[in-house]
Amino acid sequence: MARHPHLWAALLAARRGAEALAVWDEHHPNCTADRETNETCDVATEKAILTELERHFPEHNVISEESYPEFSTKPRWIVDPLDGRINYLNGIPHYSVSIAFEGTGAADVSVVYHIPSDRLFTAIEGQGAYLNGRPISVSETATLSDALVVTGFDPTTIESQHFDQFRSLLDRTQGVRRFGSAATELAMVADGQFDIFFERELSVWDTAAGIQLVEEAGGEITRIERVNGSNREMVLASNPQIHQEAVSLISSSS
């Protein structure tokens, strides 16, 4: 199969981001800002990623957490240069680079690179999802009681009217875990390590690549946009066998 130009650019960009983070870590322990430029580790990583993408596709638009948060038209790249920054700051080996391409006429592609473990998740629209070149698929867990859930908390989640959703997940599933990198955890759902991903307050750079990975791995996604103009959304991802039951559980607890 011929090398896909957009996937190739995303792979190179993810590697460049990881390299930039490693260089930064040597000179700025704990992600402290550079004294001369006031640049931080995630900005340095983003710069390396965007430089590589621009080298391949200078005409494309970009949405990125650190520098380009406004929405733009396709074709576009959606980048989270360091998803799991708090983990990185505290020496917890759970963070990633997330890059998605949304085309017009060209197939969408996604890359989530879990830097600490050197795990590279990739997807091309209509061609499946892969981990380090190996095909992956969502789990075959058939009941909520056997499902392992991964989630994230945000300030609104702790409010009593929303916390009931998490209480329901705790009561009705095998267990709930929180690790702090949405892109990585969506990729882990795609690989069948978790059965369900659920989080209430997410931005497009948190989810764009991970959602495609889940879909290409045979999973299902439910997304509910917030109506307060914040451009954030709730995302529930799972395998097809338990998806509707999981959606119903979350909906009944809202």
Side-chain angles (χ1 to χ4, degrees):
M1 183 172 62
R3 189 168 69 188
H4 191 287
H6 298 101
L7 180 61
W8 181 244
L11 290 171
L12 289 175
R15 293 288 188 185
R16 297 293 178 266
E19 291 166 2
L21 187 62
V23 170
W24 184 274
D25 197 41
E26 290 180 7
H27 299 94
H28 308 83
N30 299 319
C31 203
T32 54
D34 186 279
R35 292 181 179 179
E36 294 184 2
T37 65
N38 203 36
E39 189 175 70
T40 58
C41 58
D42 34 6
V43 173
T45 304
E46 180 186 72
K47 184 180 296 185
I49 292 168
L50 298 189
T51 296
E52 185 66 32
L53 294 177
E54 186 176 6
R55 186 170 73 87
H56 294 269
F57 298 102
E59 72 280 10
H60 287 177
N61 295 314
V62 172
I63 301 171
S64 186
E65 180 175 12
E66 304 305 324
S67 303
Y68 301 91
E70 299 301 323
F71 281 75
S72 57
T73 57
K74 301 177 183 180
R76 65 188 184 189
W77 297 90
I78 303 174
V79 177
D80 192 338
L82 185 54
D83 187 61
R85 182 177 184 271
I86 298 300
N87 288 341
Y88 170 77
L89 289 175
N90 289 278
I92 298 170
H94 189 68
Y95 49 90
S96 64
V97 170
S98 175
I99 302 173
F101 170 73
E102 295 181 344
T104 52
D108 293 350
V109 304
S110 292
V111 168
V112 173
Y113 181 33
H114 188 258
I115 298 170
S117 65
D118 197 31
R119 287 185 296 164
L120 191 62
F121 297 87
T122 60
I124 301 176
E125 184 179 1
Q127 298 186 36
Y130 295 82
L131 169 56
N132 292 344
R134 169 182 63 83
I136 58 175
S137 61
V138 295
S139 75
E140 297 182 358
T141 300
T143 62
L144 271 184
S145 60
D146 291 329
L148 185 59
V149 181
V150 64
T151 189
F153 293 155
D154 55 82
T156 62
T157 296
I158 307 304
E159 298 174 6
S160 59
Q161 65 265 36
H162 300 313
F163 193 73
D164 286 345
Q165 293 176 330
F166 289 87
R167 192 182 308 278
S168 297
L169 289 171
L170 285 166
D171 291 342
R172 294 281 302 279
T173 64
Q174 181 187 165
V176 177
R177 302 291 183 265
R178 179 181 187 267
F179 293 110
S181 173
T184 307
E185 288 136 31
L186 282 163
M188 294 170 76
V189 170
D191 193 29
Q193 293 176 278
F194 290 109
D195 304 298
I196 298 171
F197 171 91
F198 172 68
E199 191 164 347
R200 292 188 55 86
E201 290 274 346
L202 291 166
S203 297
V204 64
W205 46 79
D206 298 316
T207 62
I211 282 175
Q212 187 186 10
L213 284 166
V214 172
E215 291 175 334
E216 288 295 323
E220 294 188 9
I221 302 287
T222 292
R223 306 164 71 173
I224 300 176
E225 294 183 6
R226 293 183 63 82
V227 294
N228 61 1
S230 64
N231 291 324
R232 297 173 74 82
E233 62 181 358
M234 184 191 79
V235 174
L236 191 151
S238 74
N239 71 35
Q241 292 93 319
I242 58 176
H243 190 77
Q244 191 53 55
E245 191 177 0
V247 170
S248 297
L249 179 63
I250 293 301
S251 300
S252 65
S253 303
S254 297

